[in-house]
Amino acid sequence: MLETAVEFIKGKIGEFKPEIGIVLGSGLGELADEYCDCAIPYSEIPGFEASTVSGHKGRLVFARINGKNVIMMQGRFHFYEGHSIHKVVFPIKVMRKLGVENLIVTNAAGGVNPDFKPSDLMIITDHINHMGVNPLIGPNDDSMGKRFPDMSEVYTEKYVNLVEKAGEKLGISLQKGVYMAFTGPSYETPAEVRMARVIGADAVGMSTVPEAITASWAGMKVIGISCICNSAAGVSTVGLSHEDVIKAAGDAKEKFKQLVKEIIKEL
Ligand code: HPA
């Protein structure tokens, strides 16, 4: 199935060789509207599923941005949609097979660190997989990665520094921290958020970790950026809603786009 998807996409994009992959999270998909040389709806690609979440468009977008060939996922597959974990990471494997070396994964997240406020952007320095599942379970494709891959530097210091510098250059202040993934779709309880904080998380969300594990396994360098859309449950007294999350992502989208474009330039 992987080869079928790769061949299908190659047939559409011809000579275009993507170097950088970007997964655009909830409410952050606008970059792919602004820069779009070619787009393929997920529904057309063998092995892909249609996206079911509002705020996610569901297409692969190809564009040249700041001198680099970029492939963007405008919308991703979430485990909570009922997709198998292997479906969730299938596009990452496809990107790798298409030649992508660097992956930028982005998401909307809840702030666990009390210093974070809505619309802050956080550079992911590490993650905690609390989804109870690992995308590498099953037979290992030795041509892509090792059976027992090292995860000690998924988000390399060099790239964290690169993002920090990009932020400084643009005058965008950035937070840094650990992202912890829950399956969702229910938001966390205050007790779960307290647990997240105790074990070292700064933000919680429902994505990114499966993709980052798969990308690292397959030899890609990973940059992770969370848009802090709300204070996680119990951190503030305000209740949570998807609408508020999308609104906060909207408030952050201009600086988010600037930052991602600068990162592309520097990569
Ligand atoms: N928890 C989990 N996922 C999220 C949150 C949250 O508080 N906000 C946005 N995505």
Side-chain angles (χ1 to χ4, degrees), residues 108-110 187-188 204-206 229-230 232 240 245:
Y187 289 115
E188 302 72 29
V204 287
M206 306 175 193
C229 290
N230 54 277
L240 298 183
V245 166

Short mmCIF file of all heavy atoms in Angstrom, two decimals, residues 108-110 187-188 204-206 229-230 232 240 245, ligand 1:
data_model
loop_
_atom_site.label_atom_id
_atom_site.label_comp_id
_atom_site.label_asym_id
_atom_site.label_seq_id
_atom_site.Cartn_x
_atom_site.Cartn_y
_atom_site.Cartn_z
N ALA A 108 -2.48 21.92 18.06
CA ALA A 108 -3.15 22.74 19.07
C ALA A 108 -3.03 21.96 20.37
O ALA A 108 -3.21 20.74 20.37
CB ALA A 108 -4.61 22.93 18.71
N ALA A 109 -2.70 22.63 21.45
CA ALA A 109 -2.49 21.92 22.71
C ALA A 109 -3.03 22.72 23.87
O ALA A 109 -3.28 23.92 23.77
CB ALA A 109 -0.99 21.66 22.90
N GLY A 110 -3.18 22.03 24.99
CA GLY A 110 -3.59 22.70 26.22
C GLY A 110 -2.35 22.97 27.06
O GLY A 110 -1.45 22.14 27.13
N TYR A 187 -11.37 15.86 26.55
CA TYR A 187 -10.24 16.58 27.14
C TYR A 187 -9.89 15.91 28.46
O TYR A 187 -10.66 15.09 28.99
CB TYR A 187 -10.61 18.06 27.35
CG TYR A 187 -10.71 18.85 26.06
CD1 TYR A 187 -11.93 19.38 25.64
CD2 TYR A 187 -9.60 19.05 25.26
CE1 TYR A 187 -12.04 20.09 24.45
CE2 TYR A 187 -9.69 19.77 24.07
CZ TYR A 187 -10.92 20.28 23.67
OH TYR A 187 -11.02 20.98 22.49
N GLU A 188 -8.74 16.24 28.99
CA GLU A 188 -8.27 15.61 30.22
C GLU A 188 -9.10 16.10 31.42
O GLU A 188 -9.69 17.18 31.39
CB GLU A 188 -6.79 15.97 30.47
CG GLU A 188 -5.85 15.57 29.37
CD GLU A 188 -6.00 16.42 28.12
OE1 GLU A 188 -6.38 17.61 28.23
OE2 GLU A 188 -5.76 15.88 27.02
N VAL A 204 -0.49 19.44 26.85
CA VAL A 204 -1.14 18.16 26.53
C VAL A 204 -1.93 18.30 25.23
O VAL A 204 -2.45 19.36 24.92
CB VAL A 204 -2.11 17.71 27.66
CG1 VAL A 204 -1.35 17.22 28.87
CG2 VAL A 204 -3.09 18.83 28.06
N GLY A 205 -1.99 17.19 24.51
CA GLY A 205 -2.73 17.20 23.25
C GLY A 205 -3.07 15.79 22.80
O GLY A 205 -2.83 14.83 23.54
N MET A 206 -3.63 15.71 21.58
CA MET A 206 -4.17 14.42 21.12
C MET A 206 -3.51 13.95 19.82
O MET A 206 -4.12 13.22 19.04
CB MET A 206 -5.68 14.55 20.91
CG MET A 206 -6.44 15.07 22.11
SD MET A 206 -8.17 15.33 21.73
CE MET A 206 -8.71 16.30 23.15
N CYS A 229 -3.58 26.61 23.07
CA CYS A 229 -4.89 27.21 22.75
C CYS A 229 -5.72 27.52 23.97
O CYS A 229 -6.70 28.25 23.90
CB CYS A 229 -5.67 26.28 21.83
SG CYS A 229 -4.93 26.24 20.21
N ASN A 230 -5.36 26.90 25.09
CA ASN A 230 -6.15 27.08 26.32
C ASN A 230 -5.29 26.60 27.47
O ASN A 230 -4.30 25.89 27.27
CB ASN A 230 -7.42 26.22 26.24
CG ASN A 230 -7.10 24.75 25.94
OD1 ASN A 230 -6.91 24.38 24.78
ND2 ASN A 230 -7.01 23.96 26.98
N ALA A 232 -4.99 23.96 30.21
CA ALA A 232 -5.57 22.61 30.33
C ALA A 232 -6.49 22.57 31.55
O ALA A 232 -6.41 23.42 32.44
CB ALA A 232 -4.45 21.58 30.45
N LEU A 240 -13.50 24.02 28.67
CA LEU A 240 -12.83 23.88 27.37
C LEU A 240 -13.83 23.60 26.27
O LEU A 240 -14.78 22.87 26.48
CB LEU A 240 -11.87 22.68 27.43
CG LEU A 240 -10.73 22.75 28.42
CD1 LEU A 240 -9.84 21.53 28.28
CD2 LEU A 240 -9.92 23.99 28.14
N VAL A 245 -10.64 26.53 21.14
CA VAL A 245 -9.32 26.07 20.67
C VAL A 245 -9.05 26.62 19.27
O VAL A 245 -7.98 27.16 18.98
CB VAL A 245 -9.27 24.51 20.70
CG1 VAL A 245 -8.07 23.98 19.92
CG2 VAL A 245 -9.25 24.01 22.14
N1 HPA B 1 -6.12 19.01 25.83
C1 HPA B 1 -5.89 18.18 24.80
N2 HPA B 1 -5.84 18.58 23.54
C2 HPA B 1 -6.01 19.88 23.30
C3 HPA B 1 -6.24 20.81 24.33
C4 HPA B 1 -6.31 20.34 25.67
O1 HPA B 1 -6.51 21.09 26.64
N3 HPA B 1 -6.38 22.03 23.74
C5 HPA B 1 -6.21 21.84 22.42
N4 HPA B 1 -5.99 20.55 22.15
#
